[in-house]
Amino acid sequence: MPNEIDKGRRDLDKVLRNPVKRPDSSVSLTRRTFLQRSLVTGTALGAGAASLGLLPLVNTIDVAQAAGESFRFAWVSDTHLYGPGVNERFVDKTVKAFKEIQGMSPSADFMIFGGDLAQKGRQDELQLGSDLLKEVKIKKLFIPGEHDWYLDMGAEWEKRFGGSPWSMDHKGVRIIGLNTIGHAPDYWTAKKMSPEERMGHMEALDGTVAGAWAGLGRPQLKWLSDNLAGWPKDKPIIVFSHNPLYNYYAPWNFWVRDWQEVQEILGPYSNVTNVHGHTHQVLYNEIGTMRSIGMLATSWPWPYAPGVPNLTTPMVRVDPGDHFDGVGWGSLTGGDRVENEYMMWRKDIFATAQADSGAGDEGNQVLNERIADKQWPY
Amino acid sequence: MKIKLSNRIGLLSGSFLIVAGVAVGLVASFSDTAQAHKVKHSPATLNAFDQVFMEQVRLGDLLFHGDPATQKKMGVTLSKTGMACAMCHPRAADTHPYEYPKFQEQINKFSTLRDITNWCIEKPNQGEKISVDSDAMKALEAYMYWSTRGSKLDPGRH
């Protein structure tokens, strides 16, 4: 596996070293304070947050682009809900995010849910998620995560939230929702796995049995290519995906295995923004002409994997004793500017020194593949 | 020594039973006393030691990933939230066992890897604290060290 990781890094390096292929606009990182309507009007939630100094500081990625009408939307993903009564903390954080999104002023045009609503893909988990989603009255869009899918191969998810990929045009922007999770190589049939066993292997991020499950697959790559065929090369595109559309860390599927084909399709377009979940951390990268923004989970933060992109300003160390720390949602604008605001429920989001960084220990850390899940069955 | 190793047998399964059985035989054949190194190590001897160690890594891996059967066998409840250690620490990332012992902010005292493991079991996972020298703790420790082998030893680092 280390050789495969090294090869992946070399492949990515070739793309990154191409001096011609970059997003066509300058990117500047700034900060400003974003006030929720609930804070301004002094509701109990707002007053409490303000008194604790928890006004969320935000990361703004300002991108100058062709003129167009800007709009705001919200991203939530990776709620990882268990069935009722198992983990109330995850429920509390999901509710908090949904209430804040509904309280945005001015209202967001839509909310995108970026996958992993459920933890084990069970009906009671998806039902709980559906119930909590009723808090959000604005338009809702959905793409699935692997935790939503591998118990029944997406049947319940698609019944509730519709299929993917999909696309829509919104205020001059082509918006695309991909399914990067539903095209895993079949690791279950030959081993005669039950649906629960299949899901169990998918449930562990560091599992070795499900392998390189993240990808678009040939039919979806063709769909993407066909979808963009008539779209002007200089007009903005926003692509939602559960997994990042580049190679960050394959062993945790912090990638899609066919990212090079994706880049071939998106490469001719000069203004592409990929917004993704799955990584549960502050993350930013530019690959060719595509900028990529990793969003927070509401459930828990993943540690940084080996090979954090150089363009990422890592998030601070968070407090594992505070289940509201290191998590949150995202508020974004699209149109003539693409902005992302990390709505993390803490004062300081970004590390200013290595000692404050969640990635700060990486220099000393070597990680190795687990062994126990290779022996079938447990 | 012999009795303790035999106890491990109860936790083994499948092909591991045969391999570890040989391992126990080899290790036990040295002596029941604390003597060691009276006979030169052979490749078979080293392999036997390795088998004993890797069985603990395997058990630790299963505990770390929340396997219910292994928890039940070992009499521990490491989480009541549905979460497992590996959900925040895939491949044992950010457990950094090579940094211990050190001052641990959460506990507000000089701590070992076992101390912070228990803190994680009790606080984020809302599970039941385990004895610091229990079989489950040793297996968890074996898994975390093995998973981060090759990392730079740097005790005290925060």
Side-chain angles (χ1 to χ4, degrees):
Chain A
M1 185 58 93
N3 287 339
E4 290 174 26
I5 295 171
D6 288 345
K7 181 183 178 305
R9 295 228 169 101
R10 285 196 297 274
D11 290 345
L12 190 60
D13 187 59
K14 281 181 200 163
V15 175
L16 295 178
R17 282 181 191 281
N18 186 335
V20 179
K21 298 277 189 181
R22 282 208 65 205
D24 70 353
S25 51
S26 61
V27 176
S28 61
L29 298 177
T30 57
R31 291 190 189 189
R32 63 188 172 89
T33 302
F34 177 73
L35 290 176
Q36 298 297 122
R37 187 164 61 194
S38 58
L39 292 175
V40 175
T41 55
T43 63
L45 172 69
S51 65
L52 288 169
L54 292 177
L55 291 177
L57 286 176
V58 298
N59 179 32
T60 305
I61 297 169
D62 295 332
V63 183
Q65 281 300 340
E69 187 182 358
S70 70
F71 58 93
R72 186 175 289 276
F73 63 97
W75 168 286
V76 184
S77 70
D78 300 282
T79 53
H80 291 270
L81 296 168
Y82 289 87
V86 177
N87 191 320
E88 294 303 324
R89 290 175 172 179
F90 283 8
V91 174
D92 291 347
K93 292 183 279 190
T94 305
V95 169
K96 182 174 172 64
F98 287 166
K99 281 183 186 291
E100 290 181 356
I101 286 165
Q102 189 56 34
M104 287 171 72
S105 180
S107 290
D109 283 16
F110 60 86
M111 184 192 91
I112 165 77
F113 190 90
D116 285 354
L117 181 65
Q119 171 66 15
K120 297 170 185 290
R122 289 162 42 135
Q123 289 208 13
D124 60 347
E125 297 172 349
L126 292 168
Q127 180 62 50
L128 175 60
S130 299
D131 292 341
L132 300 182
L133 278 160
K134 289 175 186 164
E135 181 72 40
V136 181
K137 309 290 196 298
I138 58 174
K139 180 182 175 70
K140 285 167 279 192
L141 304 169
F142 294 89
I143 54 171
E146 76 279 11
H147 288 259
D148 304 314
W149 197 267
Y150 281 88
L151 186 63
D152 62 3
M153 302 309 288
E156 185 69 21
W157 171 271
E158 293 206 324
K159 194 169 83 182
R160 290 175 183 275
F161 306 117
S164 50
W166 47 257
S167 78
M168 67 176 194
D169 293 345
H170 187 72
K171 297 180 178 173
V173 178
R174 172 65 52 92
I175 296 176
I176 291 170
L178 296 177
N179 178 342
T180 57
I181 58 89
H183 310 285
D186 183 349
Y187 60 88
W188 53 89
T189 303
K191 290 178 177 170
K192 297 185 170 58
M193 290 186 195
S194 68
E196 288 76 16
E197 288 166 338
R198 179 177 59 208
M199 183 65 235
H201 283 286
M202 191 56 80
E203 198 181 337
L205 186 79
D206 59 359
T208 63
V209 175
W213 54 261
L216 276 67
R218 280 283 148 209
Q220 191 170 206
L221 286 167
K222 183 176 185 311
W223 176 91
L224 181 62
S225 180
D226 292 347
N227 183 278
L228 290 172
W231 190 251
K233 299 291 187 287
D234 59 345
K235 289 194 72 176
I237 301 168
I238 297 176
V239 185
F240 297 130
S241 58
H242 185 67
N243 304 76
L245 298 179
Y246 63 98
N247 187 357
Y248 169 13
Y249 193 58
W252 298 348
N253 279 279
F254 283 8
W255 75 336
V256 288
R257 61 179 182 271
D258 39 14
W259 65 271
Q260 284 160 307
E261 286 88 344
V262 175
Q263 294 306 313
E264 280 176 25
I265 294 168
L266 296 176
Y269 300 89
S270 60
N271 180 12
V272 183
T273 304
N274 170 222
V275 184
H276 67 83
H278 187 60
T279 48
H280 298 206
Q281 60 196 230
V282 167
L283 199 63
Y284 181 80
N285 206 359
E286 292 176 5
I287 308 295
T289 57
M290 181 186 78
R291 63 184 60 82
S292 182
I293 306 172
M295 305 303 288
L296 304 175
T298 61
S299 51
W300 75 89
W302 288 121
Y304 281 105
V308 180
N310 288 337
L311 291 172
T312 291
T313 302
M315 59 197 259
V316 291
R317 289 174 192 270
V318 297
D319 178 2
D322 173 4
H323 60 278
F324 279 99
D325 201 6
V327 296
W329 54 285
S331 173
L332 299 96
T333 61
D336 57 341
R337 294 150 62 86
V338 177
E339 295 183 342
N340 170 42
E341 304 173 353
Y342 285 115
M343 307 304 288
M344 194 190 287
W345 299 311
R346 61 162 24 248
K347 187 178 174 187
D348 297 315
I349 296 176
F350 301 101
T352 50
Q354 191 183 32
D356 295 325
S357 164
D361 282 336
E362 196 189 276
N364 280 347
Q365 180 171 266
V366 175
L367 299 178
N368 298 282
E369 189 171 292
R370 64 178 298 214
I371 52 161
D373 64 343
K374 286 190 177 69
Q375 295 154 28
W376 183 259
Y378 277 169
Chain B
M1 185 68 165
K2 190 176 181 181
I3 294 168
K4 277 199 163 189
L5 285 166
S6 297
N7 283 343
R8 298 285 190 278
I9 292 287
L11 299 165
L12 301 173
S13 64
S15 59
F16 256 82
L17 187 63
I18 298 162
V19 176
V22 173
V24 169
L26 279 166
V27 174
S29 71
F30 285 101
S31 173
D32 284 348
T33 69
Q35 292 186 340
H37 304 162
K38 299 301 184 193
V39 179
K40 285 181 180 174
H41 288 165
S42 68
T45 312
L46 296 176
N47 185 50
F49 294 162
D50 189 54
Q51 294 293 340
V52 172
F53 173 70
M54 286 309 294
E55 174 57 10
Q56 295 309 304
V57 171
R58 191 185 74 88
L59 287 172
D61 183 331
L62 293 173
L63 290 173
F64 203 78
H65 288 78
D67 182 51
T70 309
Q71 289 191 68
K72 194 175 174 188
K73 276 180 191 168
M74 301 189 84
V76 295
T77 304
L78 302 182
S79 173
K80 290 179 181 170
T81 61
M83 293 193 75
C85 310
M87 287 169 70
C88 292
H89 301 285
R91 290 190 169 187
D94 272 11
T95 58
H96 32 68
Y98 46 85
E99 294 182 358
Y100 287 89
K102 67 178 175 183
F103 176 77
Q104 191 70 47
E105 207 173 340
Q106 293 95 326
I107 306 173
N108 197 29
K109 70 171 190 181
F110 185 64
S111 303
T112 65
L113 177 65
R114 297 183 184 196
D115 293 330
I116 189 62
T117 301
N118 255 336
W119 181 89
C120 269
I121 291 168
E122 271 198 309
K123 304 294 181 185
N125 278 5
Q126 299 180 297
E128 293 168 8
K129 187 175 168 176
I130 59 179
S131 168
V132 288
D133 59 357
S134 61
D135 288 347
M137 183 63 90
K138 289 178 191 171
L140 285 167
E141 184 181 72
Y143 176 70
M144 287 186 272
Y145 274 111
W146 183 84
S147 295
T148 56
R149 66 192 186 281
S151 299
K152 180 184 158 193
L153 190 62
D154 197 3
R157 181 187 171 92
H158 189 73

